[in-house]
Amino acid sequence: MLKDKDLLGLQHLSADEINLILDGAVATKKFLEGDRKCSEVLKGRTLVTLFYENSTRTRTSFELAAKYLGANVVNISVATSSVQKGETLVDTGKTLDSMKVDFIAIRHPMAGAPALLAKNVAASVINGGDGMHEHPTQALLDIFTLKERYGKIEGLKVAILGDIKHSRVALSNLFGLTKLGAETYMYAPGTMLPKDIAALGAHVANSREEAVEGADAVMGLRIQLERMNGGLFPSAGEYAKYFGIDDGLMKYAKKGAIILHPGPVNRGVELPPALIDGETSFINRQVTNGLAVRMSILKLLDGYRGVRL
Ligand code: CP
């Protein structure tokens, strides 16, 4: 069982807890590959998705994960909810709690918002991405994808390239991969690299070739094109040339190395279309694995139902 009723990040999850989720996802992945995806494991439970930021993969994946396990799902559209009348996050959470929901999957622009919500509700809160802090289910699905490919995490070298400073995906992956014994190499424009990342266990490379040299997997991160006017890098074309992942760069990686990206991808910026759609790209598999991992998490957190505050 997980030690907390909530899943807020990988920083405070133990290696054993991460492995418990990954092991559970092996079974849920098999279930997903079956003919009909209907189970009664979560029958009578209710998941609410409460997303204050846009999402395609994460929100849909939570919804389908819960539905495939037999739960009820309610999606709250923040744009048309009482949040627009000034309701606080805690009041929104207490309102949902009063309706006896079991799980709340939340995405919020403020780091720490899921933790605040978790302290104030009996429902299990799952972080679907909070500001520049953590995106634990994304990192867990990335790690699951690596484990599926290599049979282990310990000893792997994972290169992460892109907007690391603004990336909750990079931080959650760093916490999770380090706990399981992988080495993480990061490379980004100076404006996109947090100063303290090495203190958290990342190797900061001096070139993208150094980051990728001998890597088992190369992960691109989404460049937030909306930030370009902020002068973080000169142009999308220059970013692709000096910081992107291309065929030439992948020659430095281990033979058979895989390409990961949390999506959505800016085609031609982080990666060229030929690599996104090529054989070494595991991007679509990551999406499937996201479902398996979220199903595993819901099943584990279900152990807390009946434990009310
Ligand atoms: N990877 C990810 O978080 O994608 P969405 O923003 O579509 O949820």
Side-chain angles (χ1 to χ4, degrees):
M1 193 156 161
L2 301 177
K3 69 177 179 297
D4 293 324
K5 78 170 173 68
D6 311 290
L7 184 75
L8 301 176
L10 296 197
Q11 185 172 17
H12 302 297
L13 225 54
S14 68
D16 283 349
E17 288 177 294
I18 294 173
N19 281 322
L20 198 60
I21 295 168
L22 300 179
D23 290 348
V26 173
T28 51
K29 177 92 187 260
K30 277 205 188 94
F31 169 85
L32 282 174
E33 284 166 345
D35 183 22
R36 287 177 191 269
K37 296 170 282 297
C38 46
S39 157
E40 298 205 339
V41 168
L42 293 186
K43 191 173 177 188
R45 305 294 193 214
T46 302
L47 166 82
V48 169
T49 66
L50 180 63
F51 274 48
Y52 291 75
E53 282 185 351
N54 296 339
S55 168
T56 299
R57 276 149 285 270
T58 312
R59 202 210 56 73
T60 310
S61 180
F62 271 118
E63 177 171 357
L64 289 175
K67 283 184 169 167
Y68 289 162
L69 290 172
N72 305 305
V73 179
V74 175
N75 298 305
I76 294 190
S77 166
V78 166
T80 55
S81 74
S82 288
V83 169
Q84 301 305 327
K85 299 176 192 165
E87 185 168 62
T88 66
L89 175 63
V90 170
D91 283 344
T92 299
K94 288 187 168 165
T95 303
L96 296 175
D97 234 21
S98 304
M99 296 183 197
K100 309 296 181 195
V101 309
D102 298 291
F103 311 100
I104 302 174
I106 178 174
R107 172 171 287 185
H108 201 283
M110 297 279 296
L116 176 67
L117 181 64
K119 278 201 186 91
N120 287 281
V121 297
S124 286
V125 174
I126 310 167
N127 182 0
D130 61 330
M132 300 188 321
H133 181 220
E134 284 225 40
H135 192 346
T137 61
Q138 177 66 47
L140 286 164
L141 76 87
D142 295 337
I143 294 169
F144 179 80
T145 304
L146 286 165
K147 194 164 177 193
E148 199 177 46
R149 168 70 174 81
Y150 293 107
K152 60 168 192 168
I153 297 299
E154 189 164 10
L156 295 184
K157 173 176 175 176
V158 180
I160 302 182
L161 278 70
D163 187 356
I164 291 159
K165 188 171 183 175
H166 300 102
S167 175
R168 49 202 179 201
V169 177
L171 198 55
S172 285
N173 264 294
L174 177 59
F175 291 138
L177 288 167
T178 305
K179 278 174 207 260
L180 298 190
E183 301 287 333
T184 307
Y185 283 71
M186 299 196 171
Y187 184 65
T191 48
M192 294 182 174
L193 199 61
K195 287 187 177 53
D196 54 356
I197 200 77
L200 295 176
H203 299 274
V204 178
N206 292 312
S207 67
R208 57 182 189 156
E209 290 77 10
E210 183 191 330
V212 170
E213 178 78 50
D216 298 283
V218 181
M219 182 186 296
L221 297 174
R222 187 175 83 86
I223 295 306
Q224 296 169 26
L225 289 172
E226 62 270 25
R227 292 180 193 278
M228 277 185 52
N229 290 339
L232 296 182
F233 55 92
S235 70
E238 280 159 310
Y239 178 87
K241 184 170 174 192
Y242 297 111
F243 299 98
I245 301 163
D246 54 28
D247 266 330
L249 183 66
M250 287 306 291
K251 290 192 174 45
Y252 288 85
K254 259 193 199 140
K255 195 169 159 33
I258 62 171
I259 290 173
L260 301 173
H261 192 298
V265 188
N266 294 302
R267 286 182 169 256
V269 181
E270 297 103 57
L271 286 158
L275 276 186
I276 296 169
D277 303 321
E279 276 180 9
T280 57
S281 168
F282 275 47
I283 295 171
N284 290 331
R285 189 186 291 214
Q286 285 173 271
V287 176
T288 305
N289 289 345
L291 254 178
V293 162
R294 292 181 179 107
M295 288 169 75
S296 172
I297 290 165
L298 289 172
K299 284 174 74 177
L300 285 166
L301 291 180
D302 193 46
Y304 282 94
R305 297 304 85 213
V307 182
R308 312 297 292 187
L309 284 181

